[in-house]
Amino acid sequence: MGNWSDLYDEILELIIDKIRTIEDIIRFRAVCQSWRSVSVMKRQRQRQRQLCPWLMLAARKGSDRRSFYSLSTQKVYRMDLPGVRGRRCWFSQGWLITFGVDMEMHLLNPFSQVRIPLPPQPSLPYQYSPESKFNNPKVLLKIFIKKVVLSSKPSLSVKTTHCKDSKDENCVIMAISSQFNTLAFLRLGDKVWTPIDSPLGFCDIIYFNGQFYAVNTSGRLFICDIYTYFLVESLGELFLIGQGNDHPDFDEHGYNNPDEPVNENTGGYETKGFFGFGVYKFNFDNRKWTHVRSLENRTFFVGNNTSLAVFPSNQCPGCEPNCIYFIDSYHDSFYYGAAHDMGVSWINPRGIQPQYVGRRIFSKICTPLWVGL
Amino acid sequence: MSSTKIFLKSSDDKTFEIDETAARASETLKNIIDGGCLDGVIPLPNVSSNILPKVIEYCKKHGGDNGSSKKIANGGVDKDKEILPDYDEEEDKREKVRVDELKKWEEEYMDFDQQVLYDLMLAANYLHIKGLLDLTVEKAASMIRGRTPDQIRENFNINSDFTPEEEEEMILIEDEWDDEWAFD
């Protein structure tokens, strides 16, 4: 006797492809655990949206319940969503981004009710002055945040059902906020929003082909570069170091290849997520950057200083060849009183380790920097 | 086309006969035939004797033509034909009759319970008969669309492995279409 709950995943997926409304998918997922997990995993992988979205109807004061209108069946469904009570919502990549008068922000999956905390509104740039009449939670709720967009679905296990302090460095969240409609981003797990040095007046953002694109009120399109770049000179060669773990060029050059050896000495070291460095050498003949897989025994030191390159000799203790020693170099990082990110990164095999482990990295005046003789 | 006979042996050791042209509807059988290593009977350890005749019936009808169910899915219009310069109205009519007839045949052919559906779907998957897999998957989907989880479980004889609380949480509740609305 064949058991439908044990049907091969590939056949279940074919069946799911023939289900055409969100409500039928929801009911499909309520049949049994295995059907649920196949459907959830399939959706997690799939980039193309195939079903007509629901219209989430306006909030009713003091209610945990939200209603959704289905264009497919012209019916209204209701769901208990205590997580959105009294909160403004945006939607991106299957998740609601919520913001309330408590100034807290969350990701909330309306179907699984999984909730992930985000850094609160006060860590967004360009806050109103304390004297401003706009500096009032009720007003801020209405005007401060214009839009929030995710680069991808946060990777979570299917079984998770409760509030999670999640960390997923591949999930970048970008917001248009403040009276100037400026951009700020974070990687899931970050404690603060990081402002992007950019013009003002953005009205929309989208994640496309590995990058965020933003459009301003006059229709000009901008590519948002959330990577930090350093220039380093060494023995007549000019190098560019791109810091950011999903640099678009990395994939193309196999940088993110999972088969690539990973240095195992990374033992739980927490960084702000800038795991990856891409190194490029400038070719002065064709005026192009070439990705390089080896530093040829150089050691680079980057941060809030002119970047340095060293050829460590055998008698140079503490200085590993083929590594990049880095310090947080966000222009605004000292605003929050800390250099949150500091370490040493191997290029091949890749890996990361702490370097200075002490408390003397916090300063509102001047964060650490490399100085030499 | 030759009408060489092929012999298929079911999981319970019963032998069935099928024309080679019909057998070619199955990608798996086609590869075995074209592989040239065919020696007598092809054993099909994953297909039982109560399903194999059903599979053979489908193959006979479709005689190696994997695309026929696709034509139906596209409303019976063969796009290649439309752009032919000498478009033949008579031919078009005959095609429509053929498609209508096939639809009717499929309707009768697909009249069976969920257990046969399950086995036939797995057989179509195993033998790579795309048209048949499509038909069976569509039938399964039609037994899901617009139904509650309870009805779906009943249709497929599935036992829920969720706790009553989880089931409660997953219920999709229809709301009043236009209840009173206080804007504030």
Side-chain angles (χ1 to χ4, degrees), chain B residues 4 33 46 66 72 78 91 138 144 148 155 168 173 179:
Chain B
T4 320
I33 296 163
N46 290 346
N66 278 326
I72 291 168
D78 189 333
E91 178 61 32
E138 171 56 37
I144 293 168
T148 65
N155 277 345
E168 175 81 28
I173 306 162
D179 47 359

Side-chain angles (χ1 to χ4, degrees), chain A residues 1-8 10-11 14-16 18-24 26-36 54 57-61 65-69 74-80 112-113 161, chain B residues 46 114-115 117-119 121-122 125 133-134 136-141 143-149 152-153 155-163 166-167 169-182 184:
Chain A
M1 282 283 276
N3 186 349
W4 285 88
S5 54
D6 294 338
L7 197 59
Y8 298 147
E10 62 194 82
I11 298 183
L14 292 176
I15 295 174
I16 294 167
K18 291 185 184 280
I19 296 177
R20 291 162 199 141
T21 63
I22 292 180
E23 45 269 52
D24 277 344
I26 291 173
R27 294 186 187 118
F28 179 96
R29 288 180 182 180
V31 170
C32 61
Q33 303 270 11
S34 64
W35 285 26
R36 180 177 195 82
W54 278 359
L57 300 173
R60 183 188 300 258
K61 200 171 188 179
R65 198 167 273 171
R66 290 300 284 264
S67 295
F68 298 81
Y69 173 64
Q74 295 172 10
K75 284 179 180 163
V76 178
Y77 300 97
R78 63 168 201 239
M79 284 201 273
D80 283 329
S112 67
Q113 307 261 358
T161 48
Chain B
N46 290 346
Q114 53 86 13
Q115 201 51 57
L117 178 63
Y118 184 92
D119 293 336
M121 192 184 272
L122 288 191
N125 185 53
L133 184 59
D134 227 47
T136 48
V137 164
E138 171 56 37
K139 184 174 167 100
M143 292 161 71
I144 293 168
R145 289 193 293 252
R147 287 171 169 77
T148 65
I152 298 170
R153 280 192 286 261
N155 277 345
F156 296 103
N157 197 18
I158 295 173
N159 293 322
S160 170
D161 48 5
F162 292 113
T163 64
E166 284 174 321
E167 274 186 37
E169 258 175 40
M170 288 188 286
I171 293 176
L172 191 58
I173 306 162
E174 255 183 67
D175 208 351
E176 308 273 321
W177 221 98
D178 226 349
D179 47 359
E180 39 187 295
W181 186 252
D184 48 5

Side-chain angles (χ1 to χ4, degrees), chain A residues 265-329:
Chain A
N265 297 329
T266 54
Y269 176 52
E270 293 268 323
T271 75
K272 229 171 127 269
F274 278 176
F275 186 82
F277 286 87
V279 184
Y280 305 83
K281 193 193 278 186
F282 196 68
N283 182 329
F284 282 90
D285 296 330
N286 64 12
R287 301 191 165 222
K288 279 184 176 153
W289 293 106
T290 317
H291 185 258
V292 294
R293 299 292 292 274
S294 162
L295 303 187
E296 290 156 341
N297 288 328
R298 290 175 175 87
T299 308
F300 289 158
F301 293 83
V302 300
N304 295 316
N305 47 269
T306 298
S307 301
L308 307 170
V310 172
F311 273 105
S313 65
N314 290 337
Q315 284 79 37
C316 182
C319 184
E320 292 256 0
N322 294 311
C323 284
I324 299 168
Y325 287 73
F326 61 96
I327 310 173
D328 191 345
S329 64

